[in-house]
């Protein structure tokens, strides 16, 4: 595929766009607000991919609205899911793959969620081993994490990893992307929250919690190993009294970063090592 050659403001190549589309295509998914499917894009790549590359590389790309749908949960309730357009998923993939190469070598080995070559089974196995060494556990869940990431703090922490202008520019735009409800109403994104369902959101979440929790925890409490999978965290502690102190400090750290622990999903428990 020949997307053309022009002088570009941002160092984004046609090869990046094509590779990103192949990845988006392999994952499937529904159309966004424009109704254009992956199959339609694949039929006419010149028509659909050239404008994405042209705008990304010139600095003129702005994400369309994210379609919000309600997904039934097991408890009878619903959770909101955002569906970006296929072409926006492609654009997010271009930037997220570049950003991933920068941040991955710097992430904590205790972070397991949404990372290449890491998964929940590894986190569970590590937790099992740590329970044999330290009998007390702080089991934590961050309340409404993806909806409450502060945009200003997110960009501040992103800048600790990279000063590449195009990455910072497009992350800012995705954070501010409008949301289209099922009745067609458009909501402007507020000063917090990452676009759920977005390709780049899990990576941004890991960047945020690396700064807020992972690296802080390893510096302040090196005697307390932990496993984190997205916003679910298990911290291993030597005794109950120390666990209460560590939990108090974690609460304060999160509040300082405009987050809080879920009151019903956070607890201190004893690991029965005889089982």
């Amino acid at each position: 595929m020949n997307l053309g050659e022009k002088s570009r403001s941002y160092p984004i190549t046609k090869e990046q766009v094509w590779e990103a589309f192949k990845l988006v295509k392999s994952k499937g998914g529904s159309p966004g607000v424009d109704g254009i499917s992956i199959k339609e894009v694949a039929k006419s790549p010149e028509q659909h991919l050239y404008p994405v590359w042209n705008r990304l590389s010139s600095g003129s790309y702005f994400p369309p609205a994210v379609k919000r749908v309600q997904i039934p949960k097991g408890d009878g309730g619903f959770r909101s899911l955002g569906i970006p357009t296929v072409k926006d998923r492609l654009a997010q993939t271009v930037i997220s793959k570049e950003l991933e190469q920068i941040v991955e070598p710097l992430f904590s080995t205790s972070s397991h969620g949404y990372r290449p070559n890491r998964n929940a089974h590894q986190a569970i196995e590590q937790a099992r081993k740590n329970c044999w060494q330290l009998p007390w556990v702080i089991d934590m869940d961050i309340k409404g994490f993806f909806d409450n990431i502060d945009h200003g703090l997110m960009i501040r922490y992103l800048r600790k990893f990279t000063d590449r202008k195009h990455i910072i520019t497009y992350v800012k735009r995705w954070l501010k992307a409008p949301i289209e409800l099922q009745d067609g109403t458009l909501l402007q994104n507020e000063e917090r929250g990452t676009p759920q369902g977005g390709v780049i959101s899990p990576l941004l979440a890991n960047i945020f919690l690396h700064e807020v929790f992972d690296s802080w925890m390893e510096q302040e409490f090196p005697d307390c190993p932990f496993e984190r999978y997205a916003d679910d965290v298990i911290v291993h502690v030597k005794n109950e009294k120390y666990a209460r102190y560590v939990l108090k400090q974690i609460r304060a750290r999160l509040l300082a970063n405009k987050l809080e622990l879920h009151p019903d999903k956070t607890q201190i428990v004893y690991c029965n090592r005889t089982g």
Side-chain angles (χ1 to χ4, degrees):
M1 181 184 63
N2 180 19
L3 291 176
E5 294 293 349
K6 292 182 181 179
S7 176
R8 296 290 144 185
S9 300
Y10 291 158
I12 295 170
T13 68
K14 59 180 180 288
E15 288 79 15
Q16 284 177 276
V17 173
W18 182 243
E19 289 302 316
F21 175 66
K22 289 195 292 184
L23 189 58
V24 169
K25 183 181 177 183
S26 70
K27 293 184 177 180
S30 304
V33 295
D34 61 2
I36 297 174
S37 68
I38 293 175
K39 187 176 181 180
E40 290 176 77
V41 176
K43 281 183 178 179
S44 305
E46 286 278 355
Q47 176 187 347
H48 293 289
L49 302 191
Y50 175 81
V52 175
W53 173 70
N54 185 35
R55 292 166 189 162
L56 277 176
S57 59
S58 66
S60 62
Y61 181 83
F62 285 86
V66 176
K67 182 167 70 174
R68 178 178 288 178
V69 297
Q70 299 298 316
I71 306 298
K73 297 198 299 185
D75 60 5
F78 292 86
R79 69 179 179 91
S80 295
L81 178 66
I83 303 178
T85 66
V86 173
K87 287 184 278 190
D88 192 48
R89 298 206 293 272
L90 160 63
Q92 289 190 42
T93 300
V94 170
I95 300 301
S96 65
K97 296 306 288 184
E98 180 181 352
L99 180 56
E100 184 180 81
Q101 291 180 350
I102 298 170
V103 301
E104 259 299 315
L106 305 175
F107 279 163
S108 170
T109 56
S110 298
S111 168
H112 297 270
Y114 307 116
R115 295 182 60 190
N117 304 314
R118 290 182 177 271
N119 55 51
H121 295 294
Q122 293 168 328
I124 292 170
E125 178 61 20
Q126 191 59 53
R128 186 187 67 80
K129 292 178 180 178
N130 282 328
C131 279
W132 282 100
Q133 303 298 323
L134 297 164
W136 288 89
V137 161
I138 307 170
D139 187 5
M140 303 183 299
D141 179 274
I142 300 174
K143 183 179 179 181
F145 171 61
F146 286 91
D147 293 330
N148 289 300
I149 293 178
D150 181 82
H151 290 177
L153 291 173
M154 181 72 254
I155 297 302
R156 182 196 303 177
Y157 294 145
L158 175 62
R159 289 183 186 275
K160 289 190 174 185
F161 287 91
T162 182
D163 60 358
R164 295 183 187 180
K165 184 179 177 182
H166 61 291
I167 292 179
I168 294 169
T169 295
Y170 289 131
V171 167
K172 285 180 178 179
R173 292 178 187 176
W174 279 309
L175 290 175
K176 302 294 184 185
I179 298 167
E180 183 178 296
L181 304 183
Q182 288 178 291
D183 63 2
T185 302
L186 275 181
L187 297 179
Q188 192 59 45
N189 207 344
E190 300 176 356
E191 295 299 314
R192 62 182 185 175
T194 60
Q196 293 220 31
V199 174
I200 203 167
S201 292
L203 183 57
L204 295 180
N206 274 334
I207 289 171
F208 196 89
L209 283 181
H210 174 84
E211 290 296 321
V212 170
F213 183 81
D214 299 352
S215 59
W216 173 83
M217 192 72 187
E218 289 170 347
Q219 180 177 344
E220 297 295 321
F221 299 101
D223 57 337
C224 298
F226 65 90
E227 298 83 34
R228 182 176 66 77
Y229 194 96
D231 56 339
D232 292 315
V233 188
I234 291 177
V235 179
H236 302 267
V237 189
K238 59 186 177 182
N239 59 54
E240 184 178 7
K241 181 179 179 180
Y242 191 39
R244 296 188 184 282
Y245 171 75
V246 173
L247 179 56
K248 181 180 178 180
Q249 298 305 308
I250 292 172
R251 286 189 195 276
R253 174 67 177 175
L254 292 178
L255 285 173
N257 286 274
K258 304 182 181 182
L259 296 172
E260 60 180 305
L261 292 174
H262 196 295
D264 300 325
K265 297 180 181 179
T266 299
Q267 57 186 334
I268 295 173
V269 296
Y270 179 76
C271 294
N272 185 352
R273 293 175 294 162
T274 62

